[in-house]
Amino acid sequence: MTPQKSKQLYLVVKGRQPGVYTEWFGPGGAAEQVKDLPGAIYKGFYSTEAAAQWLRELDPAALARLPATLRQLLESSQAQPEEQNSLAALLRSGKAVLFTDGGALTNPGPGGYGVVLRYQDGRQELSGGFRLTTNNRMELLACIEGLSALKTRADAVLFSDSSYVVNGIAKGWAKRWQARGWMRTKTEKAENVDLWQRLLALCALRQVEFRWVKGHAGDPDNERCDRLATQAARRKNLPPDENFEHGQTQQTTLPLFPSLPIHKPPSSKK
């Protein structure tokens, strides 16, 4: 988790004067174009690439009515292929898509996780925090809570900026540690066994593809997860990460990290 960056531009698709704006407040800013206007369509972005991708996902009728400035932004950006790397294509294929992030304010220290879960035209956010934990534990728990929240049997694609998590699953590290009695090497025990067990069990229920995504690179859902995780870590009266505080994260005979309070904003449509 890092300090929040400022948004670079705002798109107004339906407003008093649709177009591209570099400021939200102030004279001529985007806020003036949408404030108190029923049905306004607008959004702020950290990069032109993310803004262009959002435009591509609009319904055809809205795309046909785009003003010249928005069409120019769309045409000048490098078109992303409508294949497996496109969020819209993944959702159209019937897969669930999860973005996850986690971290600790100090490592170890108060920590939190955030999840954006998307399936078909639905979108849900999850977050939670603990008074003392680590970056890696929160990255793992974000994946666990996201996959646990899926109400569909659909295959899933999970995006994380944690190499520890992605490589642990995609490169088979965690399964090898498990096969060796949770030993990374002949002399070194694996960390966070309690959480790796839960994650492997969830991945056995459906096909889950883990993909690494660069953090803080302008992806709206990745950026949202980062903010959710940071906000969760800063809440008051956080519960304990029992296994971590008791030094029991490497034991496999313990209950698999009982469910803890989760913050769930209302589900919404895209």
Side-chain angles (χ1 to χ4, degrees):
M1 296 184 294
T2 60
Q4 183 176 341
K5 300 184 298 184
S6 298
K7 292 181 178 178
Q8 296 182 9
L9 70 163
Y10 302 86
L11 305 190
V12 177
V13 171
K14 183 178 179 182
R16 296 180 178 87
Q17 188 172 343
V20 181
Y21 296 83
T22 57
E23 300 291 339
W24 177 250
F25 295 110
E32 289 186 352
Q33 317 308 321
V34 299
K35 184 178 180 181
D36 300 325
L37 183 66
I41 301 175
Y42 60 95
K43 195 170 183 179
F45 299 91
Y46 296 94
S47 69
T48 55
E49 292 80 6
Q53 181 60 30
W54 180 69
L55 287 176
R56 292 187 192 97
E57 295 176 5
L58 293 175
D59 65 78
L63 280 172
R65 295 193 298 269
L66 288 180
T69 53
L70 291 172
R71 286 200 306 271
Q72 288 170 4
L73 183 148
L74 190 57
E75 293 166 0
S76 64
S77 66
Q78 184 176 1
Q80 296 184 8
E82 286 294 312
E83 51 188 14
Q84 63 183 27
N85 288 330
S86 163
L87 173 61
L90 287 172
L91 294 172
R92 283 198 301 271
S93 73
K95 294 182 179 180
V97 178
L98 299 90
F99 289 83
T100 67
D101 194 22
L105 301 181
T106 56
N107 195 30
Y113 66 85
V115 182
V116 172
L117 192 162
R118 302 181 66 154
Y119 180 65
Q120 295 179 346
D121 62 347
R123 186 179 186 280
Q124 185 179 11
E125 296 181 351
L126 310 173
S127 67
F130 303 86
R131 67 189 185 191
L132 181 64
T133 189
T134 68
N135 290 338
N136 284 341
R137 287 183 68 76
M138 292 300 94
E139 294 280 11
L140 283 165
L141 193 59
C143 302
I144 290 166
E145 296 296 355
L147 290 171
S148 298
L150 286 177
K151 300 298 191 294
T152 171
R153 294 181 179 271
D155 292 344
V157 178
L158 188 150
F159 292 90
S160 169
D161 60 14
S162 169
S163 297
Y164 173 71
V165 170
V166 174
N167 290 339
I169 298 295
K171 294 187 177 182
W173 294 353
K175 284 188 175 181
R176 287 197 292 273
W177 300 337
Q178 186 180 46
R180 297 171 184 161
W182 292 105
M183 297 294 292
R184 294 186 65 221
T185 67
K186 291 182 179 180
T187 59
E188 185 181 357
K189 293 182 178 180
E191 295 287 344
N192 305 313
V193 171
D194 56 329
L195 299 183
W196 281 117
Q197 286 185 108
R198 286 190 66 189
L199 185 55
L200 286 175
L202 287 165
C203 290
L205 299 177
R206 71 181 76 240
Q207 181 162 345
V208 185
E209 179 185 354
F210 280 67
R211 297 186 188 179
W212 182 83
V213 59
K214 184 177 181 181
H216 313 293
D219 184 286
D221 288 328
N222 177 260
E223 299 281 359
R224 178 59 179 160
C225 288
D226 178 75
R227 291 195 295 276
L228 287 170
T230 301
Q231 291 166 3
R234 290 175 175 165
R235 291 180 196 141
K236 297 180 179 179
N237 302 316
L238 291 172
D241 178 344
E242 298 281 3
N243 288 355
F244 179 76
E245 292 196 17
H246 296 157
Q248 297 173 323
T249 63
Q250 294 178 326
Q251 299 185 29
T252 60
T253 56
L254 294 170
L256 296 183
F257 205 67
S259 214
L260 288 160
I262 301 173
H263 176 64
K264 297 184 179 182
S267 299
S268 61
K269 300 295 183 180
K270 287 195 299 182

